[in-house]
Amino acid sequence: MAVDELQAIIQRCQILEEADFKGEDFNLFQVAGQKCLEDGYAAQLLEVIQNEKNKVIIKNMGWNLISPLVRCIFMYKQDDDKREHCLRILDQLAQLCNPKELFLGLLEQIEQTSGEQVCQTVMLLLQPLQTVLLKLQNKKAYSVGLSLAMIMNQLTPLPVPYTKQQIQEDKLGLCQCCNAVVDFAKPFVNEVVKNMEKSSEYNDMELKEELIKFCMKSLKYPLLTAELEQLEGIEEHPFRHFAIEIIDILWNIGELIPLVFVHHKGKSTHWENQEFADIERKNSADSLACLSYLIFVQHFGVECFPVVFSPSYLLLCNMTHIEVLLKRTEESVLSKGLDLFESCLLRMEDNSLLHHYLEFRDFINVPQDLVKIMTLCPMEHMRKKSLNILQLFIDKFDTEGKYTLFRCLLKTSNHAGVEGYIIKNIKDQIHLALMKGYDNIWFTGHHLISLLDLVLSLPEGAETDLLQNSDRIMASLNLLRYLVIKDCESDNQTGVWTTLGKIEQNFLKPLRIGLNMSKAHYEAEIKNKKENRKETHSSNTVCSVTVSGEKMPTMTTGMQLQVLHSALFTFDLIESVLARVEELIEVKTKAVMDENS
């Protein structure tokens, strides 16, 4: 019987000195103890462990029971007495065993768990692990750091619940587990705080550094991808609670403001392998970006900050973080980047952001990232929000800043729709510049002429794909029409009449030639399609169409004719505006000539 075998080993070891225990004794104790647990004799094993006479034996050998003990705890149901006995055994082992040996045993058990049992195992072993760590004298900071790193590494592969239903179900227990890990860390946070209070020159940075690492890992996972908006029907959002706890730890150990504004990351690890260094840098960037989101969007811990920072300085500090978030493709991360950017911009007055800020790389990169989201993101609400934020960004700059930003976006966006949108913004700025009492040198005179050289041109002359560039061309024509109507040749505030010959040569003439060529080509295509359809006596002949090198879904001849007619309609629209512009130029030029004659 298992209990008898265990008693025999215990009796033999009781008469031995601690130094005389052999490897064989350890093995026999482990096998007998495991058999007791598996055969349902947990109560008897608990009695053996609680017996004062066995204290030295348990101190040295008890840690070997961790693995079978954990297996048995998960095997029994919640209301089973045997499970309760196993839990009491675990608690006793935490109190009696050699801390160093038990620490390694507990960590090994956490490391070996996987899949659905990860969170259950971690939550089961957190309390005994905390008890053991608090007993350690040597290498305590290292052991705490190793424990937290091991736990986070095991949790990281698990999917983060995102929807309201997933958070409420918490199928794998991740929400509950994350908050349990924070509770696990609190005694060590308190220890750092206590030592800092004792001495203003707190030099023992090791434990503090390990806690910073834990917070940084927590910011990247699960908080970076977690849904952190308040959800209706969830009284205490687990990830919001977790985020607040992480912010509190950083504040209590005096690292919150340095991380937000100085980007201090504690001791920077030196990696000989550049790949490892790049990974650490990226992880740190993700964590800091998430931290800024928590503070400036969710306002966690914002009450800790002195109200001395200008809105423009806050934007400057956050642009690096915004860029990091906007380069990601996951909706949960991308939305955080857009929210952070919007939050920073809404703090500012229109026209208050100085053009000098565009000398910072991030102030050029971020609007380009917005353009990519506007044009490539598959989620419509993200595309719309990006467009609104781009406009908000434009509105905040002074006139020189707007001018510089427009030039940059026209050169880099490579998207006719975006270029058309920027040209519309240019038109609005010219309108403001032409108003009486509005001093604006950037959207009149020689500065504007330089900008018009970019706007009133065709990328490839007469051979430009007019259909693909229709948004830009229509916006350019509307701008030119506005300039011709609004700015008299005698005033010539915009300089458009001075450069009219160049505009006609570089824009109007090649556009007219391109329209004639395009219309002729599409009309011929329509004629061919109609003739082919008559020959086959069917309007449902299926064909494949290639656009920009990509094969599109198969189309019937009737569908192809619709597409071709739509293209012709676009050309007619461009042609009508072009004709109106040419007519206005001719009328105004003739009127001036008549006045001069």
Side-chain angles (χ1 to χ4, degrees), residues 417-454:
V418 175
E419 290 164 0
Y421 186 80
I422 297 303
I423 292 167
K424 181 183 176 300
N425 265 276
I426 292 171
K427 176 175 167 285
D428 293 340
Q429 291 302 312
I430 294 170
H431 179 71
L432 285 173
L434 294 177
M435 292 172 67
K436 287 183 178 179
Y438 193 89
D439 185 23
N440 186 337
I441 63 168
W442 291 97
F443 291 93
T444 55
H446 68 277
H447 287 303
L448 179 59
I449 290 172
S450 175
L451 192 57
L452 291 179
D453 286 343
L454 280 176

Side-chain angles (χ1 to χ4, degrees), residues 556-576:
T556 64
T557 304
M559 291 163 69
Q560 290 179 67
L561 282 168
Q562 281 184 339
V563 172
L564 293 168
H565 278 295
S566 177
L568 271 182
F569 176 77
T570 301
F571 297 145
D572 287 340
L573 197 62
I574 293 173
E575 190 172 37
S576 67

Side-chain angles (χ1 to χ4, degrees), residues 91-109:
D91 182 58
Q92 285 293 306
L93 292 178
Q95 301 297 331
L96 300 172
C97 286
N98 179 305
K100 183 180 176 183
E101 300 294 345
L102 186 58
F103 167 69
L104 295 173
L106 290 168
L107 270 198
E108 184 180 12
Q109 194 59 39

Side-chain angles (χ1 to χ4, degrees), residues 31-95:
V31 170
Q34 181 173 334
K35 199 169 181 187
C36 284
L37 289 167
E38 291 171 350
D39 291 353
Y41 297 111
Q44 289 83 344
L45 178 58
L46 178 60
E47 287 179 14
V48 169
I49 291 171
Q50 289 175 325
N51 190 328
E52 187 69 22
K53 294 178 181 177
N54 302 328
K55 192 174 180 180
V56 175
I57 299 170
I58 301 305
K59 176 189 172 186
N60 289 276
M61 302 184 189
W63 67 274
N64 281 309
L65 296 176
I66 292 296
S67 182
L69 191 59
V70 170
R71 283 200 303 272
C72 288
I73 289 171
F74 290 140
M75 185 174 68
Y76 296 128
K77 293 181 179 178
Q78 288 284 345
D79 56 354
D80 195 319
D81 288 342
K82 292 173 183 174
R83 187 177 193 276
E84 182 59 33
H85 291 139
C86 289
L87 289 171
R88 289 176 64 188
I89 290 171
L90 183 59
D91 182 58
Q92 285 293 306
L93 292 178
Q95 301 297 331

Side-chain angles (χ1 to χ4, degrees), residues 270-398:
H270 175 71
W271 296 99
E272 291 184 6
N273 186 316
Q274 186 58 41
E275 187 178 346
F276 289 161
D278 292 341
I279 291 170
E280 186 188 35
R281 197 178 301 112
K282 183 185 181 303
N283 288 340
S284 177
D286 288 341
S287 301
L288 292 170
C290 183
L291 179 61
S292 278
Y293 168 82
L294 294 178
I295 291 167
F296 296 108
V297 178
Q298 295 300 334
H299 303 124
F300 298 155
V302 75
E303 68 280 357
C304 302
F305 286 80
V307 190
V308 295
F309 303 112
S310 69
S312 56
Y313 177 72
L314 290 178
L315 177 63
L316 176 63
C317 289
N318 279 305
M319 283 301 267
T320 301
H321 306 317
I322 292 164
E323 184 180 6
V324 167
L325 296 171
L326 294 188
K327 289 195 184 302
R328 297 284 289 268
T329 55
E330 309 96 311
E331 181 183 0
S332 57
V333 183
L334 197 54
S335 63
K336 286 181 176 66
L338 293 174
D339 288 344
L340 179 57
F341 197 12
E342 183 179 45
S343 175
C344 291
L345 292 172
L346 289 173
R347 287 183 168 88
M348 306 183 69
E349 297 288 334
D350 285 354
N351 309 307
S352 65
L353 191 59
L354 300 176
H355 60 276
H356 304 298
Y357 281 89
L358 287 169
E359 294 172 10
F360 294 102
R361 178 182 57 84
D362 300 328
F363 279 77
I364 294 296
N365 290 349
V366 166
Q368 290 176 355
D369 290 333
L370 278 180
V371 167
K372 288 176 184 174
I373 298 167
M374 285 160 49
T375 56
L376 300 174
C377 182
M379 293 166 280
E380 184 182 5
H381 67 284
M382 290 288 195
R383 296 198 300 272
K384 287 181 177 178
K385 185 162 187 174
S386 298
L387 178 62
N388 293 336
I389 292 172
L390 178 63
Q391 186 61 59
L392 202 57
F393 187 55
I394 291 168
D395 293 342
K396 300 307 170 187
F397 273 103
D398 59 17

Side-chain angles (χ1 to χ4, degrees), residues 96-163:
L96 300 172
C97 286
N98 179 305
K100 183 180 176 183
E101 300 294 345
L102 186 58
F103 167 69
L104 295 173
L106 290 168
L107 270 198
E108 184 180 12
Q109 194 59 39
I110 291 172
E111 185 180 22
Q112 289 176 352
T113 189
S114 61
E116 294 184 3
Q117 282 200 328
V118 168
C119 290
Q120 294 177 54
T121 304
V122 169
M123 284 191 286
L124 174 67
L125 300 181
L126 278 177
Q127 187 58 57
L129 185 57
Q130 186 189 70
T131 302
V132 169
L133 286 168
L134 290 170
K135 288 181 178 183
L136 287 177
Q137 298 301 320
N138 298 323
K139 295 189 176 179
K140 185 176 185 177
Y142 170 79
S143 301
V144 170
L146 187 61
S147 302
L148 289 169
M150 179 72 72
I151 291 167
M152 295 308 293
N153 286 343
Q154 289 296 86
L155 294 180
T156 300
L158 301 179
V160 178
Y162 188 70
T163 65

